Amino acid sequence: MNKKISWVECDGGPHILIESKYLKIWKAETEEELEKSYEYYEEAGLIDDYIGELKIGLGKCIIISEDIPSSTWLSDNDKNSFIVVMNYVSDYFQNEEMEFDTLLKEFSKIPDDQFIDTNLIYQVTDKELYLFAACDFGSDWLYNYCKLNLLPGNYSIKMIEEYIFHDSSFRLFKFNYLINNL
């Protein structure tokens, strides 16, 4: 059965992947917390690589940088997990809805040596994570988000800057579970 893709879309700016236990820091409830979450948002905007880490509270989150029109999370909850950034879409995908299984199958067949190592290791300690527009800080979120699950452990992150499929362009970030997690 083909799941519907939940795209995170906003007016531009970085997107963030964060463990649920740190989400309350971003979704500030008090004026003081709101000021701190705004500082985190500003720091996220300073990351100029395609992907980077940001310390938040006692943990870290992943920042997908640049003015991103859309991103999503695709995973088979086994060995293939991706953050997918849409660079542009063709008429094919504008007229046909993108299918979760079709994209996941296509991206999963890409040989690992086609991905570039970002040199990031992301430690997941909370199984539940969120992918959302970084500009959605504070309690009143405006945009869609993805809620996802990853096994606790360490993940290396590899990237393909531009992958063409059906005359559409995607940037892919593959999360590889490290077998020797301690």
Side-chain angles (χ1 to χ4, degrees):
M1 177 168 253
N2 208 341
K3 296 190 282 185
K4 183 168 173 47
I5 296 175
S6 180
W7 289 102
V8 175
E9 299 177 312
C10 66
D11 296 332
H15 290 189
I16 183 171
L17 178 69
I18 192 169
E19 294 180 86
S20 63
K21 67 182 170 187
Y22 300 118
L23 192 61
K24 65 182 175 187
I25 295 171
W26 209 266
K27 292 181 70 135
E29 295 178 5
T30 68
E31 191 63 37
E32 183 179 315
E33 290 172 338
L34 185 60
E35 286 178 29
K36 188 64 178 167
S37 63
Y38 182 74
E39 288 174 22
Y40 286 130
Y41 169 69
E42 295 234 311
E43 288 178 45
L46 296 176
I47 294 174
D48 59 356
D49 291 330
Y50 286 125
I51 189 168
E53 282 185 326
L54 176 66
K55 290 184 180 182
I56 181 167
L58 298 174
K60 294 179 183 176
C61 59
I62 296 294
I63 302 297
I64 310 301
S65 192
E66 295 196 334
D67 285 339
I68 298 170
S70 301
S71 72
T72 194
W73 178 262
L74 299 178
S75 177
D76 60 10
N77 290 326
D78 186 16
K79 60 182 177 184
N80 297 302
S81 299
F82 302 92
I83 290 178
V84 178
V85 174
M86 186 185 310
N87 294 323
Y88 62 83
V89 293
S90 67
D91 290 340
Y92 175 85
F93 281 132
Q94 288 180 356
N95 297 326
E96 300 276 331
E97 186 171 328
M98 285 187 222
E99 295 183 352
F100 183 98
D101 292 340
T102 302
L103 290 181
L104 183 59
K105 183 178 177 183
E106 176 66 22
F107 300 152
S108 296
K109 71 180 186 181
I110 302 169
D112 205 43
D113 64 358
Q114 298 297 303
F115 288 84
I116 299 166
D117 194 348
T118 65
N119 297 314
L120 286 177
I121 303 294
Y122 185 51
Q123 183 179 31
V124 175
T125 59
D126 187 353
K127 173 177 165 172
E128 186 177 83
L129 293 96
Y130 287 81
L131 175 67
F132 57 92
C135 61
D136 260 346
F137 60 89
S139 58
D140 296 325
W141 282 20
L142 301 173
Y143 302 106
N144 196 20
Y145 61 90
C146 292
K147 184 176 174 183
L148 55 119
N149 292 307
L150 271 178
L151 289 174
N154 292 318
Y155 292 82
S156 68
I157 303 173
K158 295 185 175 190
M159 176 185 82
I160 292 179
E161 186 175 345
E162 184 174 44
Y163 185 81
I164 306 297
F165 179 60
H166 286 299
D167 295 324
S168 298
S169 172
F170 303 91
R171 183 172 310 127
L172 305 175
F173 298 96
K174 185 175 184 179
F175 284 64
N176 294 313
Y177 185 77
L178 298 175
I179 302 298
N180 296 327
N181 279 301
L182 300 176

mmCIF file of all heavy atoms in Angstrom, residues 115-145:
data_model
loop_
_atom_site.group_PDB
_atom_site.id
_atom_site.type_symbol
_atom_site.label_atom_id
_atom_site.label_comp_id
_atom_site.label_asym_id
_atom_site.label_seq_id
_atom_site.Cartn_x
_atom_site.Cartn_y
_atom_site.Cartn_z
ATOM 1 N N PHE A 115 26.762 8.328 -3.128
ATOM 2 C CA PHE A 115 26.527 9.344 -2.114
ATOM 3 C C PHE A 115 27.867 9.889 -1.615
ATOM 4 O O PHE A 115 28.842 9.162 -1.510
ATOM 5 C CB PHE A 115 25.753 8.760 -0.928
ATOM 6 C CG PHE A 115 24.312 8.471 -1.216
ATOM 7 C CD1 PHE A 115 23.941 7.280 -1.815
ATOM 8 C CD2 PHE A 115 23.332 9.384 -0.888
ATOM 9 C CE1 PHE A 115 22.613 6.995 -2.084
ATOM 10 C CE2 PHE A 115 21.997 9.123 -1.151
ATOM 11 C CZ PHE A 115 21.638 7.924 -1.751
ATOM 12 N N ILE A 116 27.887 11.175 -1.291
ATOM 13 C CA ILE A 116 29.064 11.833 -0.734
ATOM 14 C C ILE A 116 28.913 11.873 0.780
ATOM 15 O O ILE A 116 27.848 12.225 1.296
ATOM 16 C CB ILE A 116 29.183 13.279 -1.277
ATOM 17 C CG1 ILE A 116 29.332 13.275 -2.782
ATOM 18 C CG2 ILE A 116 30.326 14.020 -0.614
ATOM 19 C CD1 ILE A 116 29.124 14.653 -3.408
ATOM 20 N N ASP A 117 29.985 11.554 1.498
ATOM 21 C CA ASP A 117 29.952 11.579 2.957
ATOM 22 C C ASP A 117 29.930 13.030 3.438
ATOM 23 O O ASP A 117 30.743 13.845 3.027
ATOM 24 C CB ASP A 117 31.177 10.858 3.521
ATOM 25 C CG ASP A 117 31.038 10.540 4.993
ATOM 26 O OD1 ASP A 117 30.107 11.054 5.651
ATOM 27 O OD2 ASP A 117 31.871 9.772 5.498
ATOM 28 N N THR A 118 28.984 13.360 4.295
ATOM 29 C CA THR A 118 28.905 14.714 4.859
ATOM 30 C C THR A 118 29.780 14.856 6.101
ATOM 31 O O THR A 118 29.896 15.951 6.647
ATOM 32 C CB THR A 118 27.455 15.070 5.252
ATOM 33 O OG1 THR A 118 27.040 14.199 6.308
ATOM 34 C CG2 THR A 118 26.517 14.977 4.064
ATOM 35 N N ASN A 119 30.338 13.753 6.562
ATOM 36 C CA ASN A 119 31.151 13.703 7.786
ATOM 37 C C ASN A 119 30.340 14.023 9.039
ATOM 38 O O ASN A 119 30.908 14.413 10.057
ATOM 39 C CB ASN A 119 32.379 14.603 7.689
ATOM 40 C CG ASN A 119 33.314 14.146 6.588
ATOM 41 O OD1 ASN A 119 33.609 12.965 6.476
ATOM 42 N ND2 ASN A 119 33.755 15.076 5.760
ATOM 43 N N LEU A 120 29.031 13.881 8.959
ATOM 44 C CA LEU A 120 28.175 14.068 10.133
ATOM 45 C C LEU A 120 27.765 12.706 10.683
ATOM 46 O O LEU A 120 27.388 11.816 9.926
ATOM 47 C CB LEU A 120 26.902 14.832 9.785
ATOM 48 C CG LEU A 120 27.022 16.322 9.538
ATOM 49 C CD1 LEU A 120 25.662 16.896 9.142
ATOM 50 C CD2 LEU A 120 27.538 17.041 10.767
ATOM 51 N N ILE A 121 27.848 12.575 11.983
ATOM 52 C CA ILE A 121 27.306 11.421 12.692
ATOM 53 C C ILE A 121 26.220 11.969 13.614
ATOM 54 O O ILE A 121 26.488 12.822 14.461
ATOM 55 C CB ILE A 121 28.383 10.685 13.527
ATOM 56 C CG1 ILE A 121 29.555 10.249 12.654
ATOM 57 C CG2 ILE A 121 27.756 9.509 14.278
ATOM 58 C CD1 ILE A 121 29.242 9.191 11.622
ATOM 59 N N TYR A 122 25.005 11.513 13.408
ATOM 60 C CA TYR A 122 23.879 11.997 14.198
ATOM 61 C C TYR A 122 23.469 10.901 15.180
ATOM 62 O O TYR A 122 23.144 9.783 14.782
ATOM 63 C CB TYR A 122 22.712 12.366 13.288
ATOM 64 C CG TYR A 122 21.537 12.979 13.999
ATOM 65 C CD1 TYR A 122 21.693 14.053 14.869
ATOM 66 C CD2 TYR A 122 20.250 12.500 13.794
ATOM 67 C CE1 TYR A 122 20.606 14.623 15.511
ATOM 68 C CE2 TYR A 122 19.158 13.070 14.424
ATOM 69 C CZ TYR A 122 19.344 14.127 15.292
ATOM 70 O OH TYR A 122 18.264 14.685 15.919
ATOM 71 N N GLN A 123 23.506 11.240 16.462
ATOM 72 C CA GLN A 123 23.127 10.287 17.498
ATOM 73 C C GLN A 123 21.658 10.476 17.845
ATOM 74 O O GLN A 123 21.231 11.562 18.239
ATOM 75 C CB GLN A 123 23.980 10.458 18.746
ATOM 76 C CG GLN A 123 23.653 9.425 19.803
ATOM 77 C CD GLN A 123 24.499 9.574 21.041
ATOM 78 O OE1 GLN A 123 24.903 10.659 21.413
ATOM 79 N NE2 GLN A 123 24.756 8.458 21.696
ATOM 80 N N VAL A 124 20.907 9.407 17.688
ATOM 81 C CA VAL A 124 19.481 9.396 18.020
ATOM 82 C C VAL A 124 19.312 8.647 19.328
ATOM 83 O O VAL A 124 19.741 7.498 19.450
ATOM 84 C CB VAL A 124 18.659 8.722 16.892
ATOM 85 C CG1 VAL A 124 17.197 8.598 17.284
ATOM 86 C CG2 VAL A 124 18.813 9.486 15.588
ATOM 87 N N THR A 125 18.721 9.299 20.312
ATOM 88 C CA THR A 125 18.479 8.660 21.605
ATOM 89 C C THR A 125 16.987 8.537 21.897
ATOM 90 O O THR A 125 16.584 7.815 22.783
ATOM 91 C CB THR A 125 19.156 9.450 22.750
ATOM 92 O OG1 THR A 125 18.647 10.783 22.767
ATOM 93 C CG2 THR A 125 20.662 9.472 22.569
ATOM 94 N N ASP A 126 16.180 9.278 21.145
ATOM 95 C CA ASP A 126 14.732 9.266 21.297
ATOM 96 C C ASP A 126 14.161 8.770 19.976
ATOM 97 O O ASP A 126 14.392 9.367 18.933
ATOM 98 C CB ASP A 126 14.246 10.688 21.592
ATOM 99 C CG ASP A 126 12.780 10.765 21.930
ATOM 100 O OD1 ASP A 126 12.078 9.750 21.809
ATOM 101 O OD2 ASP A 126 12.327 11.857 22.302
ATOM 102 N N LYS A 127 13.436 7.699 19.997
ATOM 103 C CA LYS A 127 12.957 7.038 18.786
ATOM 104 C C LYS A 127 12.088 7.938 17.907
ATOM 105 O O LYS A 127 12.038 7.787 16.693
ATOM 106 C CB LYS A 127 12.198 5.793 19.234
ATOM 107 C CG LYS A 127 11.493 5.035 18.201
ATOM 108 C CD LYS A 127 10.869 3.808 18.822
ATOM 109 C CE LYS A 127 9.858 3.225 17.893
ATOM 110 N NZ LYS A 127 9.350 1.957 18.307
ATOM 111 N N GLU A 128 11.405 8.909 18.479
ATOM 112 C CA GLU A 128 10.487 9.774 17.729
ATOM 113 C C GLU A 128 11.178 11.092 17.360
ATOM 114 O O GLU A 128 11.760 11.741 18.220
ATOM 115 C CB GLU A 128 9.248 10.043 18.563
ATOM 116 C CG GLU A 128 8.169 10.794 17.836
ATOM 117 C CD GLU A 128 6.949 10.960 18.707
ATOM 118 O OE1 GLU A 128 6.933 11.898 19.532
ATOM 119 O OE2 GLU A 128 6.027 10.147 18.569
ATOM 120 N N LEU A 129 11.098 11.458 16.076
ATOM 121 C CA LEU A 129 11.704 12.693 15.585
ATOM 122 C C LEU A 129 10.696 13.474 14.751
ATOM 123 O O LEU A 129 9.680 12.926 14.309
ATOM 124 C CB LEU A 129 12.932 12.379 14.717
ATOM 125 C CG LEU A 129 14.122 11.774 15.458
ATOM 126 C CD1 LEU A 129 14.111 10.272 15.338
ATOM 127 C CD2 LEU A 129 15.403 12.315 14.890
ATOM 128 N N TYR A 130 11.025 14.747 14.521
ATOM 129 C CA TYR A 130 10.199 15.622 13.696
ATOM 130 C C TYR A 130 11.082 16.320 12.669
ATOM 131 O O TYR A 130 12.195 16.741 12.978
ATOM 132 C CB TYR A 130 9.519 16.695 14.558
ATOM 133 C CG TYR A 130 8.391 16.168 15.404
ATOM 134 C CD1 TYR A 130 8.634 15.527 16.609
ATOM 135 C CD2 TYR A 130 7.073 16.308 14.989
ATOM 136 C CE1 TYR A 130 7.610 15.031 17.385
ATOM 137 C CE2 TYR A 130 6.029 15.817 15.759
ATOM 138 C CZ TYR A 130 6.303 15.186 16.953
ATOM 139 O OH TYR A 130 5.272 14.688 17.714
ATOM 140 N N LEU A 131 10.567 16.464 11.457
ATOM 141 C CA LEU A 131 11.172 17.261 10.400
ATOM 142 C C LEU A 131 10.199 18.400 10.117
ATOM 143 O O LEU A 131 9.019 18.153 9.855
ATOM 144 C CB LEU A 131 11.386 16.416 9.135
ATOM 145 C CG LEU A 131 11.903 17.139 7.902
ATOM 146 C CD1 LEU A 131 13.338 17.628 8.117
ATOM 147 C CD2 LEU A 131 11.839 16.222 6.676
ATOM 148 N N PHE A 132 10.686 19.649 10.203
ATOM 149 C CA PHE A 132 9.788 20.788 10.019
ATOM 150 C C PHE A 132 10.572 22.018 9.582
ATOM 151 O O PHE A 132 11.803 22.032 9.615
ATOM 152 C CB PHE A 132 8.993 21.085 11.300
ATOM 153 C CG PHE A 132 9.841 21.360 12.512
ATOM 154 C CD1 PHE A 132 10.202 22.658 12.844
ATOM 155 C CD2 PHE A 132 10.261 20.326 13.337
ATOM 156 C CE1 PHE A 132 10.972 22.921 13.970
ATOM 157 C CE2 PHE A 132 11.028 20.583 14.463
ATOM 158 C CZ PHE A 132 11.388 21.877 14.773
ATOM 159 N N ALA A 133 9.850 23.047 9.182
ATOM 160 C CA ALA A 133 10.461 24.325 8.798
ATOM 161 C C ALA A 133 10.986 25.009 10.054
ATOM 162 O O ALA A 133 10.258 25.164 11.034
ATOM 163 C CB ALA A 133 9.434 25.208 8.095
ATOM 164 N N ALA A 134 12.258 25.402 10.029
ATOM 165 C CA ALA A 134 12.883 26.011 11.205
ATOM 166 C C ALA A 134 12.198 27.312 11.608
ATOM 167 O O ALA A 134 12.236 27.698 12.775
ATOM 168 C CB ALA A 134 14.371 26.250 10.953
ATOM 169 N N CYS A 135 11.536 27.974 10.657
ATOM 170 C CA CYS A 135 10.848 29.229 10.982
ATOM 171 C C CYS A 135 9.621 28.994 11.857
ATOM 172 O O CYS A 135 9.066 29.942 12.403
ATOM 173 C CB CYS A 135 10.486 29.988 9.718
ATOM 174 S SG CYS A 135 9.365 29.105 8.619
ATOM 175 N N ASP A 136 9.207 27.756 12.004
ATOM 176 C CA ASP A 136 8.095 27.418 12.887
ATOM 177 C C ASP A 136 8.596 27.209 14.310
ATOM 178 O O ASP A 136 8.609 26.109 14.844
ATOM 179 C CB ASP A 136 7.381 26.155 12.405
ATOM 180 C CG ASP A 136 6.117 26.455 11.638
ATOM 181 O OD1 ASP A 136 5.650 27.606 11.693
ATOM 182 O OD2 ASP A 136 5.597 25.537 10.997
ATOM 183 N N PHE A 137 9.068 28.287 14.924
ATOM 184 C CA PHE A 137 9.445 28.206 16.330
ATOM 185 C C PHE A 137 8.334 28.888 17.114
ATOM 186 O O PHE A 137 7.545 29.651 16.572
ATOM 187 C CB PHE A 137 10.818 28.853 16.584
ATOM 188 C CG PHE A 137 10.891 30.301 16.230
ATOM 189 C CD1 PHE A 137 10.572 31.270 17.151
ATOM 190 C CD2 PHE A 137 11.269 30.691 14.952
ATOM 191 C CE1 PHE A 137 10.627 32.606 16.822
ATOM 192 C CE2 PHE A 137 11.332 32.026 14.622
ATOM 193 C CZ PHE A 137 11.006 32.991 15.554
ATOM 194 N N GLY A 138 8.253 28.579 18.379
ATOM 195 C CA GLY A 138 7.136 29.089 19.163
ATOM 196 C C GLY A 138 5.984 28.101 19.098
ATOM 197 O O GLY A 138 6.068 27.051 18.473
ATOM 198 N N SER A 139 4.891 28.450 19.720
ATOM 199 C CA SER A 139 3.785 27.499 19.866
ATOM 200 C C SER A 139 2.806 27.484 18.694
ATOM 201 O O SER A 139 2.046 26.538 18.548
ATOM 202 C CB SER A 139 3.022 27.793 21.161
ATOM 203 O OG SER A 139 2.547 29.123 21.142
ATOM 204 N N ASP A 140 2.795 28.515 17.855
ATOM 205 C CA ASP A 140 1.817 28.584 16.752
ATOM 206 C C ASP A 140 2.460 28.200 15.430
ATOM 207 O O ASP A 140 2.913 29.041 14.661
ATOM 208 C CB ASP A 140 1.239 30.005 16.645
ATOM 209 C CG ASP A 140 0.459 30.400 17.873
ATOM 210 O OD1 ASP A 140 -0.191 29.517 18.455
ATOM 211 O OD2 ASP A 140 0.502 31.578 18.254
ATOM 212 N N TRP A 141 2.470 26.905 15.140
ATOM 213 C CA TRP A 141 3.087 26.438 13.900
ATOM 214 C C TRP A 141 2.166 26.703 12.722
ATOM 215 O O TRP A 141 0.955 26.522 12.795
ATOM 216 C CB TRP A 141 3.404 24.964 14.004
ATOM 217 C CG TRP A 141 4.637 24.686 14.811
ATOM 218 C CD1 TRP A 141 5.230 25.516 15.712
ATOM 219 C CD2 TRP A 141 5.418 23.513 14.786
ATOM 220 N NE1 TRP A 141 6.343 24.926 16.240
ATOM 221 C CE2 TRP A 141 6.482 23.687 15.697
ATOM 222 C CE3 TRP A 141 5.331 22.321 14.095
ATOM 223 C CZ2 TRP A 141 7.442 22.719 15.922
ATOM 224 C CZ3 TRP A 141 6.296 21.356 14.326
ATOM 225 C CH2 TRP A 141 7.336 21.559 15.222
ATOM 226 N N LEU A 142 2.767 27.129 11.609
ATOM 227 C CA LEU A 142 2.010 27.458 10.408
ATOM 228 C C LEU A 142 2.077 26.374 9.343
ATOM 229 O O LEU A 142 1.174 26.255 8.521
ATOM 230 C CB LEU A 142 2.546 28.759 9.791
ATOM 231 C CG LEU A 142 2.516 29.999 10.670
ATOM 232 C CD1 LEU A 142 3.233 31.148 9.974
ATOM 233 C CD2 LEU A 142 1.076 30.368 10.995
ATOM 234 N N TYR A 143 3.160 25.612 9.338
ATOM 235 C CA TYR A 143 3.443 24.720 8.219
ATOM 236 C C TYR A 143 3.323 23.250 8.620
ATOM 237 O O TYR A 143 3.341 22.902 9.793
ATOM 238 C CB TYR A 143 4.857 25.000 7.679
ATOM 239 C CG TYR A 143 5.044 26.428 7.244
ATOM 240 C CD1 TYR A 143 5.798 27.313 8.007
ATOM 241 C CD2 TYR A 143 4.459 26.896 6.083
ATOM 242 C CE1 TYR A 143 5.973 28.633 7.608
ATOM 243 C CE2 TYR A 143 4.623 28.214 5.676
ATOM 244 C CZ TYR A 143 5.386 29.078 6.441
ATOM 245 O OH TYR A 143 5.546 30.376 6.051
ATOM 246 N N ASN A 144 3.249 22.427 7.593
ATOM 247 C CA ASN A 144 3.190 20.989 7.781
ATOM 248 C C ASN A 144 4.520 20.474 8.336
ATOM 249 O O ASN A 144 5.550 21.136 8.209
ATOM 250 C CB ASN A 144 2.900 20.329 6.425
ATOM 251 C CG ASN A 144 2.440 18.901 6.563
ATOM 252 O OD1 ASN A 144 1.979 18.483 7.617
ATOM 253 N ND2 ASN A 144 2.565 18.142 5.497
ATOM 254 N N TYR A 145 4.513 19.307 8.939
ATOM 255 C CA TYR A 145 5.723 18.678 9.457
ATOM 256 C C TYR A 145 5.626 17.174 9.232
ATOM 257 O O TYR A 145 4.551 16.645 8.945
ATOM 258 C CB TYR A 145 5.924 18.986 10.943
ATOM 259 C CG TYR A 145 4.796 18.487 11.818
ATOM 260 C CD1 TYR A 145 4.833 17.207 12.359
ATOM 261 C CD2 TYR A 145 3.695 19.289 12.100
ATOM 262 C CE1 TYR A 145 3.797 16.737 13.155
ATOM 263 C CE2 TYR A 145 2.666 18.834 12.895
ATOM 264 C CZ TYR A 145 2.721 17.550 13.417
ATOM 265 O OH TYR A 145 1.697 17.096 14.196
#
